Amino acid sequence: MIESDVVVIGAGVTGLTAANRLRAAGLTVTVLEARDRVGGRTWTNDIDGVTLEIGGQWVSPDQTALLETLDELGLDTYDRYREGSSVYVDAAGTRTEYTGDIFPLPEATANEIERLVEVVDEYVAAVDPARPWETPDAAALDETSFRAWLHTLSPDRVATDNVELFIAGAMLTKPAHAFSALQALLMAASAGSFANLVDADFILDKRVVGGMQQVSERLAERLGDAVHLNAPVRTLRWTDEGVVALADGGLEVHARQALVAVPPPLYSRISYEPPLPRRQHQLHQHLSMGFVIKVHAVYDRPFWRGSGLSGTAFSPYEVVHEAYDNTEHGSEQGTLVGFVSDQHADDLFTLSAAERKARVLGSLAHYYGDEALRPVVYYESDWGTEEWTRGAYAASFDLGGLVRYGADQRAAVGPIRFASSDLAGQGYQHVDGAVRIGREVADEILAVTPVSAGEGAAGSSV
Ligand code: FDA
């Protein structure tokens, strides 16, 4: 039996950021992690001799909380390769090379896309990402799907197809009919603006030398043997005075406070004794994971660069709707990363592994030419089969869910609190959001948990 002030469930960036901050303030902390590794949705792994980012990897300039953490942990960043032209494939399958942010479409449609980005940003300006349910007209915006809403803003379906891609396929990884306009505005507001999301050079600016998972690994190192791996928490017994967390391996942690730092769709994997209140039972059912397959294809050399291509490619009409140069820092090989989202991902997994690979590489070849058909390493990240994640990138509410439940999503239940990047405001669904919400929830716990005599501040607060 272990006794500590706080038990943290989940050793992703959220849980580990909070644990470090709590410990630095003088509380004792135990972290219980289901997997045999820390990092959760960040995972830097060697596949057939090549280092790949299986999960979260990019950092944008406004992600200042993550940038501070990287600095504090002594981790360096490097620029995503982006020299040269991008590639766009239109509805007819025509491939065009272009530069700048706006897709090479007929002038009227390109202008319409620019106008729509501005219109969406006028709405975004009124959204506080920490309280999107307080946005003017929030109820109406939350009961309309993003697709239906865009259709009210423009009759140009090519323009709306392209604009919806930036948030549907590329961010929430759900079809644009499956989430609300308000949810889309939250996504954009959490990144500063819709113009930021549309700008790959902004939102996918930098990577971490050696990989993003090191953030969690270094945070966990500081906690030492307070982090327990292979310890999925099955039961949380709670009263107003404290909690007992029961995990595999016979681990039993008695604590004054608990932080459940797991993806929201997994809250119900834990048995709460007594059960959570009605409100949590209801609201937790309205948060669901999107789904995207992140595909890596590694080549002997970054052959596209020689043809003047940056490696950046987009098409709302291709299986791989976006792709980038994802070459590892200092490597002579060349790596492309592509994304297959929502229903395309479902469809792809009805095929055999060989058929899937042929479809994905065929799509990459459409963007970059036939050399893309012959990678030396090919890897599909399938977060849908990961028991302790169950989708990618993150969770979002269904239609109407933000207004109906959003304000209560972080409410404490007795000594139990919930936090993850999926519940963050700024940095929502991103590693930066995990750092921010990890800090915030630690401060909430500190506000109600006096440091016992004899315990003193230790370590860095991150
Ligand atoms: P996370 O899910 O990481 O951590 C939760 C932890 O809880 C996990 O370690 C899990 O094993 C554990 N757990 C679950 N149930 C448990 C139980 N019952 N008991 C104990 N432990 C339990 N972000 C970004 O900023 N830039 C990017 O480029 C990308 N790209 C990207 C690609 C892909 C493929 C994915 C999947 C995700 C991204 N993201 C991203 C998103 C980013 O990775 C994500 O938002 C954060 O890493 C989430 O961190 P959290 O700690 O909140 O949850």
Side-chain angles (χ1 to χ4, degrees):
M1 197 258 282
I2 300 169
E3 276 188 63
S4 65
D5 291 317
V6 184
V7 59
V8 175
I9 298 157
V13 174
T14 298
L16 292 168
T17 299
N20 271 276
R21 198 167 177 96
L22 291 164
R23 176 177 286 189
L27 295 183
T28 54
V29 182
T30 302
V31 181
L32 300 174
E33 166 55 47
R35 288 180 162 98
D36 61 0
R37 62 171 182 83
V38 299
R41 279 170 276 176
T42 62
W43 187 13
T44 312
N45 202 7
D46 279 353
I47 306 290
D48 297 336
V50 183
T51 304
L52 298 179
E53 289 280 35
I54 313 288
Q57 63 166 76
W58 281 299
V59 189
S60 61
D62 64 329
Q63 294 179 338
T64 50
L66 174 57
L67 288 166
E68 281 164 20
T69 294
L70 292 173
D71 195 40
E72 217 271 320
L73 295 173
L75 292 168
D76 293 327
T77 58
Y78 64 105
D79 288 343
R80 178 174 60 84
Y81 184 85
R82 65 190 71 163
E83 306 306 314
S85 302
S86 306
V87 177
Y88 179 80
V89 173
D90 71 13
T94 307
R95 174 190 180 281
T96 310
E97 295 178 13
Y98 71 104
T99 52
D101 297 340
I102 298 298
F103 298 148
L105 289 159
E107 197 181 338
T109 301
N111 289 342
E112 184 64 351
I113 291 175
E114 267 192 273
R115 186 188 73 82
L116 280 171
V117 172
E118 283 171 17
V119 171
V120 172
D121 259 338
E122 282 166 22
Y123 283 87
V124 169
V127 178
D128 176 351
R131 280 174 289 278
W133 43 89
E134 291 178 4
T135 303
D137 290 330
L141 289 165
D142 205 30
E143 71 181 37
T144 309
S145 78
F146 184 46
R147 178 170 297 159
W149 184 65
L150 287 176
H151 289 185
T152 67
L153 298 181
S154 171
D156 184 336
R157 288 297 153 262
V158 178
T160 57
D161 281 355
N162 281 276
V163 168
E164 75 174 39
L165 174 69
F166 293 115
I167 289 185
M171 287 288 157
L172 298 178
T173 61
K174 291 179 174 178
H177 62 255
F179 60 87
S180 74
L182 186 63
Q183 187 79 55
L185 295 176
L186 161 61
M187 185 76 243
S190 73
S193 70
F194 190 42
N196 284 348
L197 281 192
V198 170
D199 181 0
D201 287 349
F202 181 89
I203 198 75
L204 312 179
D205 182 30
K206 291 194 188 300
R207 295 182 53 190
V208 178
V209 176
M212 185 69 93
Q213 193 188 356
Q214 292 170 105
V215 171
S216 296
E217 289 168 341
R218 293 195 181 186
L219 289 172
E221 263 167 37
R222 293 179 171 187
L223 297 165
D225 58 12
V227 180
H228 300 261
L229 302 179
N230 301 305
V233 171
R234 307 290 181 178
T235 303
L236 262 188
R237 292 193 183 128
W238 60 280
T239 65
D240 283 342
E241 275 68 54
V243 292
V244 179
L246 303 177
D248 284 8
L251 271 172
E252 182 173 327
V253 181
H254 292 237
R256 296 152 78 189
Q257 300 280 332
L259 168 57
V260 180
V262 313
L266 299 186
Y267 292 158
S268 61
R269 289 294 315 280
I270 298 171
S271 294
Y272 303 84
E273 298 177 4
L276 294 177
R278 174 193 311 109
R279 187 73 174 155
Q280 278 66 30
H281 278 170
Q282 279 288 297
L283 91 79
H284 291 168
Q285 293 183 59
H286 291 267
L287 280 159
S288 60
M289 276 280 176
F291 189 37
V292 64
I293 313 170
K294 182 176 184 180
V295 185
H296 279 99
V298 184
Y299 303 87
D300 288 332
R301 63 193 176 90
F303 64 87
W304 52 93
R305 295 184 187 174
S307 320
L309 295 179
S310 61
T312 303
F314 296 102
S315 175
Y317 311 104
E318 281 286 330
V319 172
V320 175
H321 69 264
E322 60 184 317
Y324 303 94
D325 185 319
N326 210 27
T327 301
E328 197 58 23
H329 184 66
S331 172
E332 289 185 0
Q333 291 178 310
T335 301
L336 291 172
V337 64
F339 295 89
V340 183
S341 202
D342 55 69
Q343 284 171 207
H344 294 290
D346 299 343
D347 294 346
L348 215 56
F349 275 120
T350 64
L351 305 177
S352 69
E355 288 168 330
R356 275 202 311 276
K357 183 174 175 183
R359 286 285 300 283
V360 168
L361 292 179
S363 192
L364 292 180
H366 200 179
Y367 290 128
Y368 309 108
D370 282 353
E371 227 175 317
L373 295 171
R374 295 180 289 280
V376 290
V377 174
Y378 174 85
Y379 183 78
E380 296 162 359
S381 305
D382 173 17
W383 289 87
T385 58
E386 291 276 329
E387 185 182 10
W388 303 109
T389 306
R390 303 191 173 197
Y393 309 108
S396 49
F397 276 110
D398 52 17
L399 285 187
L402 256 182
V403 164
R404 190 172 170 196
Y405 299 113
D408 288 337
Q409 65 185 349
R410 292 188 50 203
V413 174
I416 304 171
R417 281 180 171 70
F418 302 90
S420 74
S421 71
D422 319 63
L423 307 184
Q426 202 178 339
Y428 172 55
Q429 297 211 350
H430 283 84
V431 178
D432 178 70
V435 174
R436 288 176 193 274
I437 203 166
R439 292 175 177 175
E440 283 167 26
V441 76
D443 290 345
E444 287 164 22
I445 292 171
L446 287 166
V448 296
T449 316
V451 177
S452 313
E455 292 171 4
S460 158
S461 69
V462 186

